[in-house]
Amino acid sequence: MSDPNCIFCKIASKQIPAFIVYEDEQVVAFKDISPQVPVHVLIVPRLHLAGLDALTEAHRELVGHIALVAQQLAKELGVTTRGYRLVANCGPDAGQTVFHLHFHLLGGAPMAGKMV
Ligand code: 5GP
Ligand code: ZN
């Protein structure tokens, strides 16, 4: 299911353009419009889910799939040796701005401000 007002649903269905680096029947991965590091890709499910809080038991396989897609993309984008992060912001304290579940794959430069 998709939300007609959601920017990431529109990217997933190619109603608006993005630099897509990977897609399959469950997920789409595309370059962030405002990259924070040299490799900054967003991995999103095709299914509209507002964020981590919207996940249920039914999405267990989907989240595992996203983690493996992230690992594969990290290899393809050449960041496995130096390292990378996979981050999902959920809610206002975490700074979530787009309310369609997404995971930031970040790499390609040392990340300052180690939070955890
Ligand atoms: P959040 O702050 O919700 O964790 O992350 C949202 C991310 O989506 C931000 O890093 C922002 O740059 C990115 N973003 C917002 N709108 C667009 C867009 O239209 N296209 C692309 N490629 N990225 C977007
Ligand atoms: Zn959506």
Side-chain angles (χ1 to χ4, degrees), residues 63-112:
V63 176
H65 180 63
I66 289 171
L68 291 175
V69 167
Q71 183 200 66
Q72 183 60 38
L73 281 173
K75 280 181 202 148
E76 289 175 14
L77 297 170
V79 296
T80 45
T81 305
R82 297 277 306 267
Y84 59 95
R85 278 185 190 159
L86 188 63
V87 175
N89 295 320
C90 183
D93 276 3
Q96 184 178 6
T97 59
V98 176
F99 291 87
H100 178 128
L101 178 64
H102 54 280
F103 292 77
H104 298 254
L105 174 62
L106 302 159
M111 278 166 263

Side-chain angles (χ1 to χ4, degrees), residues 8-9 11-14 18-30 41-47 65-66 69 73 100-103:
F8 287 177
C9 283
I11 288 174
S13 61
K14 301 192 176 146
F19 192 119
I20 292 175
V21 295
Y22 175 83
E23 62 182 320
D24 63 27
E25 60 288 340
Q26 292 188 85
V27 303
V28 179
F30 52 90
V41 166
L42 301 173
I43 305 168
V44 314
R46 289 189 184 278
L47 180 68
H65 180 63
I66 289 171
V69 167
L73 281 173
H100 178 128
L101 178 64
H102 54 280
F103 292 77

